[in-house]
Amino acid sequence: MTDLELTGLTAVRLVEGYRKGEFSPEEATRAALNRADRIQPDVNAFVRLLADEALAQARESTERWRRGEPLGPVDGVPTTVKDILLLRGAPTLKGSKTISENGRWDEDAPSVARLREQGAVFLGKTTTPEFGWKGVTDSPQSGVTRNPYDTTRTAGGSSGGAAAAVALGAGPLALGTDGGGSVRIPAAFCGIFALKPTYGRVPLYPASAFGTLAHVGPMTRDAADAALLLDVIAAPDSRDWSGLPPAPGSFAAGLSGGAKGLRVAYSPSLGGQVAVRPAVAAAVRRAVERLAGLGAYVEETDPDFTEPVEAFHTLWFSGAARVTQQLGPHQRKLLDPGLREICGQGARRSALDYLAAVDVRMELGRRMGRFHDSYDLLVTPTLPITAFEAGEEVPRGSGHRRWTGWTPFTYPFNMTQQPAATVPVGTDGDGLPIGLQLVAARHRDDLVLRAAHTLYEAGVAATGLTPAGS
């Protein structure tokens, strides 16, 4: 099998090939590394490639598969890690010039540790905006990450490097983080799948300064790969005091239920609160109609809430201020100017302001809990637009001040801690991907994955760019 063919395979298909002896982890890893080298000048998906380490891990995996003794379901699968999460042996700079490479770097984040235990091959660290603060990926430390479909456009963020890498075949599995849409935004812009699991489903350590808004989630070519990855990384870790107990069953095993009987609420614009581009609205509606055709009970209705952006800003900006609290004047001058601005705003929020935002959050959670008494799933566009100019926080001429202005469908579900995924359901007139968002009640990650998998099986969703498409 050629490199081109290998880098177009899903993780599920790679593992099947390892088991049958069709190709080896070493061959798949060499192909993925070659792919990463090729795409890096155009899209800037990586801050660091770990070629020697990855090939050593792949050789060990190849020998385990030869003996018929793989460590787990992702043994030998090329995987990337967002440069927010700790990866033993590699600096975690978080897109910031304020962090020195000179450190011990001797610990894995919980999700990384679970993957290492199961034999995954780590290709490298992917790009992020500074401390993951915004919905696009550019930073003082690593520059601008660009969209695989059009390199004049943004890949989205904050897990933009991860999304671009998966879309272009540089590893089928990626770990991202999501505090306001940061796996779903870039996945939607880059035409791949991503899941923000229920808060606590994937342990997080060190704890995020953004608190319980922050989730770790899989970014993959399809829902089956995400379920495979989630089965590995959802194992509890004692370092995360807020982590959930083990899931009651395998997410991969629960994919096959189909759409029949699912109660689906379709909200095209959150009750008219969001102006959605016609091409996006049409693609999402077609996908929803397909769900209905597959047996789901679909009703066009809206969740009962008004946009909670000011409360989210209080929580988010306060977290950013906390991240940078210990920096001196010289270090602050090194920060992304937008980040420096919101840190100043966050530092001026009082404890009472913060608690008032928590009240808004709790009420939003109550309303969504009641909503899901009646509906298994909420479907919305992931974003009201497609990818815009690279290097900009907001689309030019949009009138938005911050990235939250064009992400009204994503951040509310960080506030409520619900599982939410994005599925690619088409492209606009410029050939840019469009995402559909699936949201379920807390702890029902299985329903989100099942519905997404149904869309893939029905041909509504595609597995992203082929490597030849770059």
Side-chain angles (χ1 to χ4, degrees):
M1 187 171 283
T2 66
D3 279 7
L4 188 62
E5 291 169 325
L6 282 171
T7 54
L9 299 180
T10 65
V12 169
R13 178 67 183 91
L14 281 178
V15 171
E16 178 187 3
Y18 299 160
R19 184 175 295 112
K20 293 179 177 178
E22 297 173 348
F23 42 78
S24 71
E26 189 171 359
E27 291 171 303
T29 298
R30 286 189 186 279
L33 287 168
N34 289 339
R35 188 65 184 158
D37 275 333
R38 181 180 168 189
I39 69 172
Q40 182 62 12
D42 293 327
V43 299
N44 187 30
F46 291 90
V47 294
R48 186 178 302 268
L49 282 169
L50 303 169
D52 291 343
E53 297 90 333
L55 287 170
Q57 293 164 1
R59 284 191 288 270
E60 292 172 0
S61 177
T62 296
E63 179 59 24
R64 289 193 294 270
W65 279 104
R66 187 191 66 78
R67 297 195 309 265
E69 298 174 354
L71 292 176
V74 294
D75 198 338
V77 178
T79 304
T80 63
V81 179
K82 183 181 180 181
D83 199 35
I84 290 290
L85 298 168
L86 295 176
L87 173 65
R88 194 175 74 220
T92 299
L93 304 182
K94 303 184 179 182
S96 183
K97 290 184 175 180
T98 68
I99 299 177
S100 171
E101 290 192 18
N102 300 320
R104 294 177 61 182
W105 309 117
D106 59 356
E107 191 171 21
D108 285 329
S111 52
V112 176
R114 302 295 83 77
L115 283 164
R116 193 184 298 278
E117 292 162 2
Q118 300 285 324
V121 172
F122 297 113
L123 298 179
K125 303 297 290 291
T126 54
T127 51
T128 176
E130 195 163 19
F131 300 112
W133 81 272
K134 59 183 175 180
V136 294
T137 300
D138 58 73
S139 76
Q141 191 260 343
S142 55
V144 177
T145 297
R146 299 177 180 275
N147 194 291
Y149 285 76
D150 179 348
T151 55
T152 69
R153 310 292 182 107
T154 181
S158 62
S159 306
V166 171
L168 287 168
L173 300 181
L175 290 179
T177 62
D178 189 316
S182 288
V183 300
R184 290 161 290 155
I185 295 165
F189 276 177
C190 293
I192 68 165
F193 180 82
L195 170 69
K196 178 189 75 66
T198 299
Y199 178 80
R201 175 54 59 210
V202 180
L204 178 61
Y205 171 86
S208 172
F210 296 106
T212 57
L213 295 172
H215 304 57
V216 177
M219 305 178 71
T220 57
R221 293 179 73 85
D222 63 15
D225 271 11
L228 173 74
L229 180 51
L230 189 60
D231 275 340
V232 174
I233 64 176
D237 190 292
S238 61
R239 293 173 291 176
D240 183 352
W241 64 270
S242 63
L244 295 174
S250 164
F251 293 106
L255 290 173
S256 60
K260 188 174 182 179
L262 289 177
R263 301 168 300 165
V264 175
Y266 168 45
S267 178
S269 61
L270 294 181
Q273 297 181 78
V274 183
V276 179
R277 286 188 185 168
V280 173
V284 173
R285 184 173 291 276
R286 285 193 299 269
V288 171
E289 290 171 352
R290 186 72 176 114
L291 276 176
L294 293 167
Y297 299 110
V298 176
E299 179 181 347
E300 188 167 326
T301 188
D302 304 298
D304 178 25
F305 67 81
T306 56
E307 189 178 53
V309 67
E310 289 307 319
F312 180 81
H313 281 171
T314 294
L315 299 170
W316 194 251
F317 295 177
S318 298
R322 177 61 176 162
V323 167
T324 59
Q325 185 177 20
Q326 302 305 318
L327 299 181
H330 173 70
Q331 288 178 303
R332 287 185 177 274
K333 291 179 181 179
L334 301 175
L335 293 174
D336 178 329
L339 174 59
R340 191 163 58 240
E341 181 179 330
I342 71 160
C343 288
Q345 294 176 24
R348 293 190 290 273
R349 262 43 172 207
S350 70
L352 289 177
D353 293 332
Y354 193 91
L355 290 173
V358 171
D359 287 343
V360 172
R361 183 181 188 181
M362 290 191 293
E363 174 60 16
L364 181 62
R366 183 192 70 81
R367 288 173 180 264
M368 288 308 303
R370 292 294 299 272
F371 184 81
H372 284 289
D373 285 341
S374 300
Y375 301 100
D376 298 309
L377 293 167
L378 168 66
V379 176
T380 73
T382 306
L383 297 164
I385 60 175
T386 52
F388 53 89
E389 304 89 348
E392 304 286 344
E393 183 186 343
V394 302
R396 294 172 189 164
S398 66
H400 298 310
R401 176 65 182 144
R402 296 264 77 101
W403 62 272
T404 44
W406 52 270
T407 61
F409 293 112
T410 61
Y411 67 81
F413 304 110
N414 291 79
M415 297 177 77
T416 61
Q417 303 186 343
Q418 294 171 249
T422 183
V423 181
V425 292
T427 56
D428 68 4
D430 294 323
L432 296 168
I434 293 166
L436 170 150
Q437 181 173 234
L438 294 161
V439 184
R442 292 174 73 241
H443 312 294
R444 294 312 309 266
D445 307 75
D446 59 317
L447 285 180
V448 171
L449 287 164
R450 170 183 153 191
H453 183 64
T454 299
L455 290 173
Y456 278 98
E457 286 197 316
V460 177
T463 57
L465 276 177
T466 61
S470 65

